[in-house]
Amino acid sequence: MNQPTAEQTAAADAFRTGDHLVIQAGAGTGKTTTLAMLARCTPPRGRPPCRQGRYIAFNKAIARDATRSFPEHVTCSTAHALAYASVGRNYQTRLNAPRQAGWRIGAALGIDAGMSVRIGARRIGNRALSYSALRTVTRFCHSADSELTAQHVPRLRGVEADGMHAQLSEIVLPFARRAWKDLQHPERGTVRFEHDHYLKMWALSEPKIAADFLLLDEAQDTNPVVEQVFTAQRGHAQLVLVGDSAQAIYGWRGARDVMSTFDSGRQLTLSQSFRFGSALAEEANRWLTIVGAPIRLTGSPSLTTELMKVTRPDAVLCRTNVGAMVEVIRQLELGRQVALAGGGGTLAALAQSAHDLRSGRRPSHPELMLFESWEELREYAEYDPSGRDLLPLVELVDEHGTEAVLQALDRLVPEDSAEVTVSTTHRAKGREWPTVRIADDFTAPDDLDEQDADGEPLSGPIDLAEARLAYVAVTRARTRLDIGGLSWINSHPAGDPRPGLARGSP
């Protein structure tokens, strides 16, 4: 093991005091190594000589990998694994039930096949209502709330406005409550039982986790239901939250940055990156400044990372699934072997729904299910600000056709045999590649209606969620970064380019 940095040593010293800790760990700063070092520390005075700890990971793969780093007295698992041991195992029969279409579940809940309501310009049929009811339960399970309410009902494309959402909620909530009641039976039921269901049941039981200290990883993207359970342990266990507030990119899914609201812990930082050199650290710091992050990164003195145009990158990072679909086709046309991080199932489902819509059939994908024709979707994507992110899909399909898109997705190869990996930035989180290009679907904010002294339109403010996503994207590279679709930051007032810094001009 390398000599610990001064920040890692400070974290170990703080852990020995027994205080709760909040550790802001920037991209590539060795947070897992640091947590493993804490777990090996001499226990605080007055505490048991060998304390039992738990490391709570973001997903199963991270927990499995962490097991190799932590000492035997630390159990590595996900929150779901804890919930399964307590509650979920009682629902094993229902967990193994075969999958069935959401509209069939909806029919069993009372959403008849012919049921249809009109809200605004959209007709919402039984499939969309069934999806909304089941999705409402999932959103409730991710929350810290004790009751299902209108705030858990998802906003559907085309009826996003508050008034229309209120109408939808009034219709959907009774079916969602019926679904949640159905899920309480361990042996039988209509609704397919999912892992998030027993996690919520466990949280509602107000569990006490048997451990002397708890280490919560990726704390900036914690579902409120997990946050509720974790913070409730502070009376009997030492809590350590580690993550990067600037990488909080799952807010759209209901996740919260626990680190910013946990007010009873000592604040520490890890800012020395071991992934990239100083030039990329400076680029990352631009985005950290924009989001008001509490840290700034220092690049590794032993690494050189260049910001320059990259024609054949190891990875292309996209903002959206639609952008990833466009990039897959672009890379295939260049004759490269292409992999898609996470597989092509998500994009294939979207492309198939686009095919159904163009063929006159009602699509099943949540993004498209409320549109009755391809022309209606095209108009929404071109003229409605809420639909702007669907415009690349419309243009791609209009240019190539849905059959060509589906055939392209069939040509994807596994990552270990690919020349380039295409990924959404959400899926790229926690990963790294030697060379990375940022895709074109990272677009600049709209200009304001105002003008500067030269008559040029003033740049609009940068959305903080978009800036956090950009920060994650630019910090995935080790040796070369082509900022591509983010190059607009070089001329934006918030970009604050540093004099003399060689950024390149891709």
Side-chain angles (χ1 to χ4, degrees):
M1 178 177 170
N2 296 328
Q3 186 73 17
T5 66
E7 290 174 323
Q8 289 174 323
T9 300
D13 291 342
F15 183 72
R16 290 189 185 94
T17 67
D19 291 343
H20 302 312
L21 306 180
V22 177
I23 305 176
Q24 289 282 351
T29 56
K31 62 185 175 67
T32 302
T33 300
T34 303
L35 289 177
M37 182 168 58
L38 300 191
R40 292 183 173 89
C41 285
T42 305
R45 182 175 300 174
R47 298 291 180 97
C50 185
R51 298 200 295 162
Q52 297 300 306
R54 277 196 174 274
Y55 166 82
I56 302 175
F58 191 67
N59 59 43
K60 189 185 298 185
I62 294 174
R64 184 173 57 248
D65 292 343
T67 301
R68 296 192 287 267
S69 302
F70 284 88
E72 290 184 356
H73 63 274
V74 177
T75 303
C76 301
S77 69
T78 62
H80 281 88
L82 287 168
Y84 180 84
S86 177
V87 176
R89 58 189 177 86
N90 299 323
Y91 291 81
Q92 188 61 49
T93 300
R94 292 191 65 174
L95 278 167
N96 291 329
R99 288 187 177 274
Q100 59 176 316
W103 65 268
R104 291 187 182 278
I105 298 174
L109 294 172
I111 303 174
D112 299 329
M115 186 173 178
S116 174
V117 296
R118 185 162 288 277
I119 298 178
R122 309 289 177 209
R123 182 180 66 83
I124 305 177
N126 67 303
R127 294 178 185 241
L129 291 172
S130 299
Y131 162 80
S132 297
L134 296 175
R135 183 64 187 159
T136 296
V137 173
T138 299
R139 286 164 56 88
F140 166 65
C141 289
H142 291 167
S143 76
D145 304 322
S146 58
E147 299 290 340
L148 272 161
T149 66
Q151 69 178 348
H152 304 120
V153 178
R155 292 182 183 265
L156 298 182
R157 286 277 193 176
V159 290
E160 299 98 333
D162 289 345
M164 291 188 286
H165 181 259
Q167 294 180 56
L168 177 67
S169 299
E170 188 174 347
I171 298 165
V172 166
L173 269 177
F175 297 111
R177 288 171 177 147
R178 197 173 299 171
W180 180 243
K181 184 177 180 180
D182 174 275
L183 288 165
Q184 307 310 305
H185 303 287
E187 300 293 334
R188 55 178 175 78
T190 297
V191 181
R192 178 176 167 82
F193 199 91
E194 304 283 356
H195 296 282
D196 285 339
H197 297 148
Y198 66 71
L199 178 67
K200 181 64 174 180
M201 293 174 184
W202 176 64
L204 290 172
S205 73
E206 301 182 354
K208 179 178 180 179
I209 301 174
D212 298 303
F213 62 89
L214 297 173
L215 311 173
L216 179 64
D217 200 358
E218 299 288 348
Q220 80 283 347
D221 276 321
T222 304
N223 280 339
V225 64
V226 175
E227 174 190 2
Q228 179 186 46
V229 173
F230 181 82
T231 56
Q233 313 303 312
R234 73 176 82 195
H236 74 275
Q238 182 183 9
L239 306 185
V240 178
L241 296 78
V242 63
D244 185 351
S245 290
Q247 293 191 53
I249 60 174
Y250 286 100
W252 56 275
R253 206 168 66 181
R256 279 169 33 89
D257 178 14
V258 186
M259 307 175 71
S260 64
T261 57
F262 189 76
D263 56 5
S264 52
R266 292 179 58 180
Q267 304 286 325
L268 300 164
T269 60
L270 298 176
S271 62
Q272 168 70 67
S273 183
F274 301 100
R275 179 181 298 160
F276 43 73
S278 59
L280 201 151
E282 284 293 323
E283 179 64 32
N285 287 339
R286 287 210 285 183
W287 299 101
L288 289 172
T289 300
I290 290 168
V291 302
I295 59 172
R296 299 293 181 269
L297 292 177
T298 302
S300 170
S302 63
L303 297 175
T304 299
T305 308
E306 301 174 286
L307 273 68
M308 60 185 295
K309 189 174 182 63
V310 180
T311 56
R312 295 178 68 83
D314 297 298
V316 180
L317 304 187
C318 308
R319 178 182 168 275
T320 64
N321 281 317
V322 173
M325 191 182 298
V326 172
E327 193 59 48
V328 163
I329 291 178
R330 179 180 296 166
Q331 293 295 321
L332 287 171
E333 288 176 343
L334 292 173
R336 305 190 76 189
Q337 294 287 306
V338 184
L340 184 67
T346 299
L347 295 192
L350 183 58
Q352 183 60 55
S353 272
H355 180 75
D356 291 342
L357 189 59
R358 286 191 93 205
S359 303
R361 295 186 295 273
R362 196 79 177 188
S364 59
H365 196 282
E367 293 283 0
L368 308 182
M369 61 169 47
L370 294 193
F371 298 97
E372 299 187 31
S373 68
W374 185 252
E375 290 70 27
E376 187 180 53
L377 173 62
R378 184 189 289 119
E379 181 181 351
Y380 174 79
E382 289 180 348
Y383 301 113
D384 191 319
S386 300
R388 188 171 63 173
D389 61 320
L390 289 176
L391 187 57
L393 171 66
V394 172
E395 293 174 339
L396 179 72
V397 169
D398 283 345
E399 179 180 353
H400 295 276
T402 50
E403 294 87 350
V405 173
L406 288 166
Q407 289 171 9
L409 295 176
D410 283 340
R411 293 169 56 193
L412 293 170
V413 300
E415 283 196 58
D416 56 8
S417 57
E419 296 174 272
V420 59
T421 296
V422 175
S423 177
T424 63
T425 302
H426 287 92
R427 284 197 175 274
K429 187 176 171 184
R431 301 189 60 184
E432 58 186 61
W433 292 270
T435 62
V436 170
R437 179 170 67 79
I438 308 301
D440 296 336
D441 62 339
F442 281 87
T443 54
D446 292 334
D447 290 334
L448 300 175
D449 293 333
E450 306 168 35
Q451 297 178 334
D452 62 18
D454 298 323
E456 296 295 323
L458 293 174
S459 300
I462 299 173
D463 181 82
L464 295 184
E466 296 293 320
R468 285 190 287 268
L469 200 63
Y471 165 68
V472 173
V474 301
T475 54
R476 300 307 98 193
R478 293 197 300 268
T479 60
R480 288 182 181 175
L481 171 69
D482 181 344
I483 65 171
L486 287 170
S487 58
W488 54 264
I489 191 64
N490 289 327
S491 58
H492 194 283
D496 186 27
R498 305 290 193 265
L501 182 61
R503 296 191 181 281
S505 53

